[in-house]
Amino acid sequence: MNLIFCLNLFLSNFMPTGPVVSMDTTVHYFVRRFTDEDGLSQNSVKFIVPDRNGFLWLATENGLTRFDGNYFLNFSSDNVPALKSSRMARIYPNDTAITVETDIGEILTVTESTVKHIGKDMSGYSYMRYAINENDYYPIGGWPDDQAAHFGKVRPVVMPLGTDSYFAVYHDTISFIQQGKLDYRITQSRLDVSRLFVCDGRLFYLSRDGHITGWEKGQPVQVPLIGDVSSDPAFSKCKMELFWNLAAHQVFLYTDKNCYQLQIEPGVGIRSSVVLRDFDFHRNYISSIYYDQSERRVFPRQFYEGPLCLYQAAVQCT
């Protein structure tokens, strides 16, 4: 029995990986809906990321919520000392602690499942803070990101790598900035910013024909894409999209109702492993995804106009 779960999130406990073509594509599942009546702080979930203790943390419009798979524990201005706003704006890809920013620039950290308000200083990640002016850049929250697609036409789009290091993408140029200085620059003609992603500290580009280019100190290297997706007829027809959960450091490739996690296999290439099949992301308004590999559960997050909610579904795979 597998789980899909959606919060506007789906949490899906999933099946063993293997070639999609040989699988029984019949999926059986039931859906349980979670809303604020079930304990969710608010029915609009923006980001989802795990901590090292196995909890999921959800950034919502009315607080930061911890979820253990059954129960919600909410943190907001009601119970976090000195916190003025409960509206969570973003979760940052910080390796040492989960770092959350509110809509007025307050910073929360989660360490050992404990929430602390640390003020407004975010050491090493100031480049991710967006101010609306004509000279500013736009820090993406992952893919898909409609705002990044819009702003990328008029200003650089920032893709974080780590503390004080990031890629700034503008038109056909990619600049790698470290410690506030230009390290190297990449030129990529006819660049589609939505096909760039960072995985294990490296920048990659997925072309429309399914080929992947990586860069080593600015030099392009062709990287083989191997694994389950090679057996997917939709992939051979170039029907593919990237879903990048930046805060959780996970990248996924979505074809026609099938979803694959992309992971670097040193010395070999990028391996694609199926984590969800026969599930229509567009019909279900999926905007991001998190995969719990240890429990084999998938959490696709929904987004659409109107109330958002959390669903849970069990999927039996044969």
Side-chain angles (χ1 to χ4, degrees):
M1 182 70 68
N2 298 306
L3 265 193
I4 294 184
F5 162 61
C6 153
L7 194 77
N8 267 352
L9 209 174
F10 265 96
L11 172 124
S12 166
N13 211 337
F14 200 55
M15 79 300 235
T17 60
V20 172
V21 171
S22 64
M23 290 182 177
D24 175 11
T25 57
T26 303
V27 177
H28 310 282
Y29 61 89
F30 66 86
V31 175
R32 178 182 175 187
R33 180 176 179 176
F34 291 90
T35 67
D36 52 6
E37 294 181 358
D38 300 289
L40 186 62
S41 61
Q42 202 263 351
N43 294 337
S44 180
V45 177
K46 295 181 174 181
F47 292 87
I48 174 172
V49 66
D51 70 13
R52 296 176 182 178
N53 293 327
F55 294 107
L56 289 180
W57 292 87
L58 319 172
T60 81
E61 293 284 328
N62 190 34
L64 181 65
T65 297
R66 192 185 78 182
F67 184 61
D68 65 5
N70 294 294
Y71 302 102
F72 301 96
L73 181 61
N74 302 314
F75 298 87
S76 67
S77 57
D78 292 335
N79 57 7
V80 177
L83 187 67
K84 295 179 180 179
S85 176
S86 296
R87 189 175 183 179
M88 303 296 125
R90 181 183 292 266
I91 296 181
Y92 291 95
N94 194 333
D95 291 328
T96 58
I98 294 174
T99 305
V100 187
E101 184 178 14
T102 71
D103 63 330
I104 60 173
E106 298 170 292
I107 303 300
L108 299 173
T109 61
V110 180
T111 307
E112 294 300 322
S113 303
T114 300
V115 177
K116 292 183 180 180
H117 173 218
I118 62 170
K120 291 194 173 186
D121 180 41
M122 191 167 55
S123 177
Y125 286 86
S126 59
Y127 66 84
M128 288 291 289
R129 310 192 80 164
Y130 174 57
I132 302 176
N133 62 65
E134 62 180 9
N135 297 317
D136 202 17
Y137 45 78
Y138 179 82
I140 71 165
W143 295 129
D145 187 329
D146 292 339
Q147 294 288 342
H150 168 72
F151 284 114
K153 298 176 182 179
V154 295
R155 65 190 66 182
V157 171
V158 167
M159 298 182 174
L161 183 63
T163 303
D164 287 323
S165 61
Y166 61 91
F167 296 97
V169 184
Y170 190 55
H171 294 314
D172 60 355
T173 301
I174 304 168
S175 301
F176 178 58
I177 310 298
Q178 195 164 25
Q179 301 296 325
K181 298 180 179 179
L182 176 67
D183 193 337
Y184 58 84
R185 183 172 283 125
I186 299 166
T187 299
Q188 175 78 25
S189 60
R190 292 182 290 181
L191 182 65
D192 180 351
V193 65
S194 67
R195 293 183 172 272
L196 284 165
F197 63 95
V198 175
C199 186
D200 286 356
R202 290 182 59 190
L203 181 68
F204 297 94
Y205 186 76
L206 173 69
S207 66
R208 293 188 178 277
D209 61 5
H211 292 95
I212 293 181
T213 300
W215 285 273
E216 295 179 358
K217 283 292 182 180
Q219 299 303 310
V221 178
Q222 295 302 308
V223 181
L225 179 60
I226 60 176
D228 297 337
V229 75
S230 61
S231 300
D232 190 327
F235 177 74
S236 64
K237 296 177 181 178
C238 302
K239 296 181 179 179
M240 67 196 85
E241 300 170 63
L242 280 176
F243 281 75
W244 178 15
N245 185 333
L246 190 152
H249 303 285
Q250 292 186 337
V251 182
F252 303 89
L253 184 63
Y254 175 72
T255 60
D256 184 12
K257 299 182 182 180
N258 298 313
C259 182
Y260 307 83
Q261 185 177 19
L262 302 183
Q263 295 175 297
I264 292 179
E265 193 167 309
V268 179
I270 293 183
R271 179 165 297 279
S272 59
S273 303
V274 62
V275 296
L276 195 59
R277 61 181 172 83
D278 198 26
F279 185 80
D280 193 328
F281 276 24
H282 299 295
R283 184 176 179 180
N284 289 281
Y285 305 97
I286 300 303
S287 62
S288 68
I289 181 171
Y290 166 69
Y291 179 52
D292 179 354
Q293 191 166 6
S294 62
E295 298 294 331
R296 295 193 5 196
R297 297 178 298 179
V298 180
F299 297 77
R301 181 177 67 87
Q302 289 180 312
F303 178 79
Y304 53 86
E305 293 184 2
L308 294 170
C309 55
L310 174 67
Y311 296 97
Q312 179 168 294
V315 177
Q316 176 129 20
C317 300
T318 56

